[in-house]
Each structure stands twice: as C-alpha cells, then as structure tokens.
Amino acid sequence: MRVFHRIGAICAALVLAGTANAQTLYFSAIPDEDETALMTRFSKVAAYLEEELGVEVEFVPVKSYPAAVTAFRNDQVQLAWFGGLSGVQARQLVPGARAIAQGSEDPTFITYFIAHKDTGLVPDEAFPMAAEGMSFTFGAKTSTSGRLMPEFNIRQNTGKAPEDFFDRVGYSGDHSQTLRLVASGAWQVGALNYAVYDKALAEGAPETESAKVIWQTPPYPDYNWTIRGDVDARFGEGFADRVQAALVGMTDPDLLASFPREAFIPAQNSDFEPIAETARALGLME
C-alpha cells in the first residue's frame, strides 16, 4: 500500500509540475494604433518572448486604454505595454506591479501638435497661440502622449482649459486616427505620439501631406513594459527578471522597428513619477 501511495504522490507531483510549466503568459498593449497594426506588432513579440522564456506567450488585444488597465488589474494579462499614464494607473491598482523596461526613446518622449495645411499654421518653437478658436482633437482620453501631456502644455502655455482655448475639442481614440482626422480636415488641429507621425512620414503616408507638425512639447517619460508582482509565484523565482532581460535583450531590428524603438532599456516605477504628478494635478487620478 505504501508503495502505491508513494507512486501516486510522485504522479500527482509530476502532473502539478507539468501544469505549472504549461502556464501561459498573457500580455496586452494599449491600442494606440488600429487592431491590425497591433496584431502584426505583438504577434512577433509573443513569438520572441516564447522562445526566450520557454513558456507559452499569447497577445490579448483590447479595445481601449482603460480596458488594458482593467485586463492587467483582473489578471487577464500579466504583462502589458502601457503608456506613461496607463502604466501608473495599472501599477497603482496591482500591488507589487513594476515597470521593467522602456524604449531608449521613452525617457524623453514628445508629442507633436499637427494642423491641417489649410489652417495657415506653420512650424514654430513657440506654442501655437494662433490655433485659438480652432477645432482640436486629442487621442484617447487616458493617453499620455495623446491627452495628458498635450492638455498639460495647453493649460501651461495659454492659461486656459482646452475647451476654453479651442472652439471644439474631441477625442479620436488613437494616434493613427488623430492623423487621419486632421489630414481629412474633420479637425483643424490635433496632438499625437511623435513616433506614429514619424513612422507615417517615413512610409510616405498621404496623410502627412495634409497634416503638418506645427509644434512639439518638451520631453517627458512615456511608454513602458509593466509586469504583475505575482508572476514569480506562478512561473518560478526570478521570472520577472527574466522577462526584463528578454525585453532589454531584444536586438532584432525588424522587431524593434515595429514599436518603433531603437532598443529597450531597464525601467523602474520611480521613472514615471512626473507623469503621476501631472495626472494628479489635472484630476486624472488620485
């Protein structure tokens, strides 16, 4: 009997070990571009991480910035590519969560203000005060580069809320859509992630013929990879550090270009305190 008990215990242990090893790492990303572009970008990342980490990795698309934060909070994903504000919000909701990597460009990220060519607005180092009374679109409501920092700069430079400075204010939902809407003339002025615009320009997107950059914000910290604090208990001691090493060790030019980033560097929560302070000042988080 004792032998059968022992064999049973060994089998149970092997089953449990197999279950632990078979766990899938789910990750998501803020939808700063359309879903097709996101799937193209992050399916490649999933394959890379799977090979580096030795566990199954699956990308989970979400429809909005708040949905990305909710998925992270609810443990539907354990890793996420967040903007500065959404990362701060997510880490506030999940004890032990930490920022582990960011693009080499992210400590000094900028937002472009773009305008339809018919507005007569031209590039300038000074804030475009001549845009007063025009229509203006942000990106997503909780986007760092598409809303938080543009609004901060509007208030700082004009002394007015966006709704008081512009004739009409809207939210496009993502950076690519902001570019399309301003290029079409649906909105006269807009704010978007500089990397999205520069990529469109490099690819010869026709929208860049009609929507021109007129101003850029001072630099601020933005995008980051954030991981839940309980992944080591689930995937094994040191797993979060292994994920960080895999991201920082990403050297494939094609993979990096899909972000687009030159490289990834280590990050920590304190790097994004300026974003948290700005969000609190604008009443966007506690």
Side-chain angles (χ1 to χ4, degrees):
M1 266 319 252
R2 219 176 268 168
V3 173
F4 287 116
H5 280 309
R6 188 165 180 183
I7 292 173
I10 292 171
C11 288
L14 289 172
V15 169
L16 288 172
T19 302
N21 291 336
Q23 285 205 74
T24 300
L25 174 68
Y26 295 98
F27 78 98
S28 193
I30 53 171
D32 56 358
E33 293 186 275
D34 61 63
E35 191 166 324
T36 301
L38 290 173
M39 289 300 294
T40 300
R41 286 166 64 185
F42 291 107
S43 59
K44 296 176 184 177
V45 175
Y48 168 79
L49 289 176
E50 201 164 271
E51 184 176 346
E52 291 295 311
L53 300 172
V55 300
E56 289 189 8
V57 179
E58 186 175 327
F59 173 62
V60 179
V62 294
K63 295 294 185 183
S64 68
Y65 283 54
V69 174
T70 298
F72 188 80
R73 181 192 65 194
N74 292 344
D75 197 22
Q76 294 166 296
V77 299
Q78 295 78 50
L79 174 70
W81 176 239
F82 285 127
L85 177 57
S86 50
V88 168
Q89 291 171 327
R91 292 190 294 273
Q92 186 180 46
L93 293 168
V94 181
R98 62 187 179 102
I100 55 173
Q102 60 186 324
S104 57
E105 300 87 346
D106 288 308
T108 53
F109 212 77
I110 56 175
T111 290
Y112 283 162
F113 278 51
I114 59 173
H116 192 275
K117 60 183 181 181
D118 291 348
T119 62
L121 297 172
V122 295
D124 200 319
E125 292 185 5
F127 183 87
M129 296 299 293
E132 185 170 11
M134 296 184 181
S135 62
F136 179 89
T137 183
F138 291 109
K141 288 186 177 181
T142 54
S143 168
T144 305
S145 53
R147 192 276 176 91
L148 177 68
M149 297 313 296
E151 177 164 347
F152 173 78
N153 279 278
I154 291 166
R155 289 175 181 271
Q156 187 177 59
N157 284 281
T158 70
K160 298 179 179 180
E163 294 77 11
D164 296 325
F165 182 74
F166 295 105
D167 173 60
R168 183 166 57 100
V169 173
Y171 297 88
S172 72
D174 66 63
H175 301 292
S176 299
Q177 184 70 345
T178 296
L179 177 56
R180 286 192 287 267
L181 290 172
V182 174
S184 73
W187 296 90
Q188 292 173 291
V189 187
L192 80 165
N193 172 334
Y194 85 95
V196 171
Y197 188 93
D198 284 356
K199 182 181 178 184
L201 188 64
E203 293 174 350
E207 290 85 356
T208 59
E209 292 297 318
S210 300
K212 300 293 187 180
V213 177
I214 57 169
W215 186 70
Q216 66 182 47
T217 65
Y220 55 85
D222 200 356
Y223 286 74
N224 58 94
W225 286 102
T226 288
I227 197 163
R228 286 178 60 92
D230 53 8
V231 293
D232 282 12
R234 186 175 311 179
F235 294 96
E237 189 65 33
F239 185 78
D241 291 338
R242 289 177 56 212
V243 175
Q244 181 182 49
L247 292 169
V248 173
M250 189 185 292
T251 57
D252 183 334
D254 291 335
L255 201 54
L256 290 168
S258 70
F259 280 87
R261 297 294 187 276
E262 290 292 325
F264 285 109
I265 60 175
Q268 55 190 353
N269 293 359
S270 59
D271 294 336
F272 304 94
E273 187 54 34
I275 294 298
E277 291 175 0
T278 303
R280 285 191 286 266
L282 294 180
L284 296 179
M285 62 179 286
E286 295 179 2

